[in-house]
Amino acid sequence: MKQVILTGGIATGKSTVSNYLLEKGYPVIDTDILSRQAVEPGSQGLSQIVADFGSQVLTPEGNLDRDAVARLVFQDSKWRDRLNQIVHPLVFKATKAGLDDYRQAGAELVFVDMPLYFEVGVNYLDQVKPDQVWLVYVDEDTQLKRLLDRNHYDLDHAKDRIASQYPIEEKAQQADVVIDNRGIIENTLKQVDQALTELI
């Protein structure tokens, strides 16, 4: 079974490619979904976050207050590192379990949608060993403009979000396949089709 990491940067358009792969019938393990499941009420992850961060990161309903956590982790790398130490091992354990399930089911190709592959995923290669890494790319100026348009952040917060990730140009140098998403969507999807043809 071939395993492909699909990654990108914030606001580069990775979800567009991920959804296209799903439409074409390819299995996609979404680590964003797994990270949300890892901190659901009653989970080991949420219990550990509350123990470390305090009840200030909970909503009145007992869910994780993502805005409150974001304010902490983007202001202080110490908190970001601690959050990663809690959540990432749980996510990669679930990712490996998902890959094992697809392997047992006889899948020939599985994608793992992993936004932070270059930031943290390479530390877990014993659990997730990709045949290829695909990067959905836009230049940083385009990334910033799209993030401002999409999320309506103020400029400083948007820049902080981008700066918290590995630079997109360096990711492009390390990826096996770079899908340029600066143009029209049809061009992006043509590149995906070409990469699939070459992989298969």
Side-chain angles (χ1 to χ4, degrees), residues 17-176:
V17 174
S18 181
N19 290 335
Y20 182 63
L21 292 167
L22 284 168
E23 290 171 7
K24 291 179 75 69
Y26 292 101
V28 177
I29 297 173
D30 189 333
T31 58
D32 273 345
I33 293 175
L34 296 181
S35 67
R36 288 194 291 272
Q37 293 172 345
V39 295
E40 288 178 343
S43 68
Q44 171 191 345
L46 185 59
S47 297
Q48 188 61 59
I49 289 171
V50 173
D52 284 21
F53 287 68
S55 58
Q56 62 178 329
V57 297
L58 287 178
T59 67
E61 296 76 27
N63 297 308
L64 185 66
D65 185 335
R66 296 181 180 279
D67 288 338
V69 172
R71 285 193 294 272
L72 286 172
V73 301
F74 285 107
Q75 290 172 4
D76 190 334
S77 61
K78 174 188 71 176
W79 288 116
R80 182 166 65 245
D81 291 344
R82 182 56 190 140
L83 181 68
N84 290 344
Q85 290 168 5
I86 295 169
V87 176
H88 290 154
L90 299 172
V91 171
F92 282 99
K93 181 179 179 181
T95 300
K96 184 177 184 300
L99 287 168
D100 289 344
D101 288 344
Y102 279 121
R103 186 177 293 105
Q104 291 174 11
E108 296 182 359
L109 173 59
V110 178
F111 289 87
V112 180
D113 183 334
M114 190 178 295
L116 298 180
Y117 173 72
F118 286 107
E119 288 82 356
V120 297
V122 292
N123 298 325
Y124 293 87
L125 286 178
D126 57 325
Q127 298 181 47
V128 181
K129 299 177 181 178
D131 293 280
Q132 288 187 344
V133 177
W134 291 13
L135 173 75
V136 183
Y137 169 86
V138 299
D139 60 88
E140 192 168 308
D141 287 343
T142 302
Q143 191 179 10
L144 179 60
K145 182 179 185 303
R146 290 183 180 179
L147 184 58
L148 291 169
D149 290 345
R150 185 188 74 183
N151 293 73
H152 308 296
Y153 293 143
D154 64 56
L155 183 60
D156 287 342
H157 185 61
K159 287 182 175 179
D160 286 345
R161 287 268 181 166
I162 292 173
S164 72
Q165 297 183 350
Y166 202 50
I168 193 71
E169 300 298 338
E170 295 185 28
K171 291 182 180 183
Q173 292 177 15
Q174 297 184 42
D176 299 297

